[in-house]
Amino acid sequence: MTESDFVLPSYAFSADAGKTQWSAPSNIALVKYWGKYPSQIPANASVSFTLNNCKSETTLTYIKKSKADKDLRIKVFFEGELKDSFLPKVETFFLRIEPYLPFVRDYNFEINTSNTFPHSSGIASSASGMAALALCLMEMERRFNKSMTDEFFYRKASFLARLGSGSACRSIKGSLVEWGIQKSIPNSSNLYGIEYPFEVHKVFKNYQDTILLVHKGVKTVSSSVGHNLMNDHPYAKQRFEQAQANLSKLKPVFASGDLKKFIEIVESEALNLHAMMMSSLPYFVLMKPNTLEIIERVWEHRQKSGSHLCFTLDAGANVHLLYPEEEKEIIKDFIEKELVAYCENGHYICDHVGSGAKKM
Ligand code: PMV
């Protein structure tokens, strides 16, 4: 599908007012997206586990304008409070999606959103938040186009979510989502995420993700600045090729459940993401001393216990611990005895692979 397939050709909305409600989960990338081209086109393909517990819940209320004008009229409430600071991001999103949802200027919108994870946890809510908002808007479109297929609904939701935040396009479906053109993956697209189309071993169906909250403050460098620094990055070409190669290497790993190989690829991806940050100009470091302490402990634990615990990182200091469900008890014990000390106020969040966004 191309961009033009998502343009709403003509519409005759008769509704004066209404409300839509969706929840969308966060996701954690195994092969990382870092670097993009205009209109949120990823420089390399990526794949992520959809999470289950960490999600955004959004209600969109729309009321037809009494007098037509060209202005966007949006109010954003976060956890019950009016948040004007969220407006620039939301308005940019509405402007980007306008060619595909031309009705955005015909209504007054109120967006009420909240997260199931603490606001100041350092967990990016843009993926789940943009995915939930895109689904609410698609629900609106579907009300006026009853013949829309479910396939189109979810695909366009992912397409729109991408325009809000790249990785948000992987937060619509579960449990393993691929985004970006990869020659060997049929129907892969730079425009939206797809459910990983090949065999996935049962061990990955309920994989655990415990998020250790190392640093809950605001990041010193935002993702969008970080992506842009890949434009003139000396290792960009090699990094993009490496990501494509890692995605290919994961195919037999997902099929066989080869956890040793899985760990090698996932940890290497996390460290390479941060290596790109450290070798950008200007360079920056998002890891904290406790991030490295945890990584050391994870390696020690794996060596001593033979467990399949591994880590990954997103663009921040927090550590995602990934492990099979059957090792849950041993890992829980290890986290409580050895890792909690490295978490800010001892906080961590237990999550696992989930099945995607839900209508509320
Ligand atoms: O979706 P963005 O622009 O916030 O970028 C997300 C980038 C990483 O989380 C670091 C990697 C990824 O693929 O999710």
Side-chain angles (χ1 to χ4, degrees):
M1 287 177 94
T2 66
E3 266 113 339
S4 58
D5 295 317
F6 296 111
V7 175
L8 197 59
S10 65
Y11 69 100
F13 287 175
S14 50
D16 287 333
K19 191 166 105 173
T20 60
Q21 277 185 303
W22 274 82
S23 82
S26 194
N27 70 76
I28 181 68
L30 305 171
V31 170
K32 309 288 181 182
Y33 145 65
W34 197 243
K36 62 178 170 183
Y37 305 119
S39 67
Q40 308 276 91
I41 298 301
N44 61 262
S46 57
V47 69
S48 53
F49 277 142
T50 305
L51 296 184
N52 190 70
N53 304 336
C54 290
K55 53 191 181 197
S56 296
E57 296 174 335
T58 300
T59 304
L60 176 76
T61 313
Y62 52 94
I63 303 174
K64 193 128 190 186
K65 287 180 182 172
S66 49
K67 229 173 95 207
D69 64 26
K70 285 275 153 225
D71 296 333
L72 286 176
R73 299 208 184 270
I74 310 164
K75 276 191 186 154
V76 186
F77 293 82
F78 180 70
E79 282 165 7
E81 273 181 36
L82 188 64
K83 272 275 181 198
D84 285 337
S85 58
F86 285 14
L87 258 185
K89 204 164 179 189
V90 173
E91 283 183 347
T92 304
F93 174 58
F94 271 57
L95 291 175
R96 284 191 190 151
I97 62 172
E98 192 194 354
Y100 310 101
L101 297 180
F103 57 80
V104 292
R105 289 189 197 267
D106 299 340
Y107 287 84
N108 296 302
F109 290 101
E110 208 177 280
I111 299 163
N112 277 276
T113 189
S114 60
N115 298 329
T116 57
F117 46 91
H119 179 45
S120 56
S121 59
I123 298 184
S125 57
S126 55
S128 53
M130 285 298 173
L133 182 53
L135 285 154
C136 285
L137 287 160
M138 277 311 291
E139 190 65 45
M140 206 178 150
E141 179 180 336
R142 176 152 73 178
R143 286 187 184 164
F144 305 104
N145 177 7
K146 300 248 169 18
S147 61
M148 185 188 293
T149 63
D150 266 5
E151 193 189 351
F152 182 83
F153 175 86
Y154 286 111
R155 190 153 282 182
K156 184 165 172 182
S158 173
F159 171 86
L160 297 175
R162 183 194 103 246
L163 295 172
S165 166
S167 59
C169 76
R170 299 187 315 238
S171 272
I172 304 288
K173 286 286 190 166
S175 49
L176 202 51
V177 177
E178 191 275 345
W179 167 43
I181 292 176
Q182 164 88 315
K183 277 200 205 93
S184 59
I185 302 187
N187 302 322
S188 59
S189 169
N190 285 337
L191 301 180
Y192 45 81
I194 58 165
E195 285 177 84
Y196 189 72
F198 304 126
E199 191 187 346
V200 179
H201 190 276
K202 65 177 187 327
V203 72
F204 296 117
K205 304 276 182 191
N206 49 8
Y207 228 65
Q208 306 292 301
D209 179 3
T210 300
I211 310 162
L212 303 179
L213 305 179
V214 170
H215 180 69
K216 302 195 207 165
V218 178
K219 287 184 288 192
T220 46
V221 179
S222 71
S223 288
S224 41
V225 170
H227 283 292
N228 286 338
L229 290 173
M230 288 304 282
N231 288 337
D232 298 312
H233 197 290
Y235 308 138
K237 186 170 174 282
Q238 294 89 329
R239 164 60 201 150
F240 301 148
E241 285 167 8
Q242 176 192 48
Q244 298 291 136
N246 278 340
L247 187 55
S248 300
K249 285 186 199 163
L250 276 174
K251 186 178 171 191
V253 172
F254 283 142
S256 65
D258 178 348
L259 295 184
K260 200 160 168 264
K261 205 77 200 128
F262 176 78
I263 291 169
E264 188 180 290
I265 296 167
V266 168
E267 291 191 344
S268 162
E269 273 291 313
L271 294 178
N272 273 293
L273 167 71
H274 283 258
M276 289 302 111
M277 299 173 187
M278 289 190 248
S279 48
S280 295
L281 256 187
Y283 40 80
F284 60 104
V285 180
L286 293 183
M287 289 188 281
K288 298 283 177 199
N290 282 353
T291 311
L292 292 175
E293 289 285 359
I294 292 167
I295 292 174
E296 292 276 356
R297 298 292 163 275
V298 166
W299 285 340
E300 254 173 46
H301 181 264
R302 207 159 64 218
Q303 188 125 59
K304 277 198 228 143
S305 71
S307 82
H308 295 99
L309 174 65
C310 76
F311 71 86
T312 188
L313 308 165
D314 56 19
N318 296 335
V319 182
H320 288 247
L321 296 180
L322 303 178
Y323 49 95
E325 192 187 25
E326 61 177 40
E327 295 180 19
K328 208 168 156 177
E329 288 313 311
I330 311 166
I331 308 290
K332 187 168 181 266
D333 199 49
F334 167 61
I335 293 171
E336 278 171 7
K337 284 202 181 106
E338 290 195 45
L339 301 183
V340 163
Y342 301 112
C343 300
E344 202 173 315
N345 303 322
H347 287 167
Y348 63 91
I349 296 172
C350 296
D351 209 336
H352 56 87
V353 168
S355 56
K358 304 261 169 344
K359 191 170 164 174
M360 290 163 63

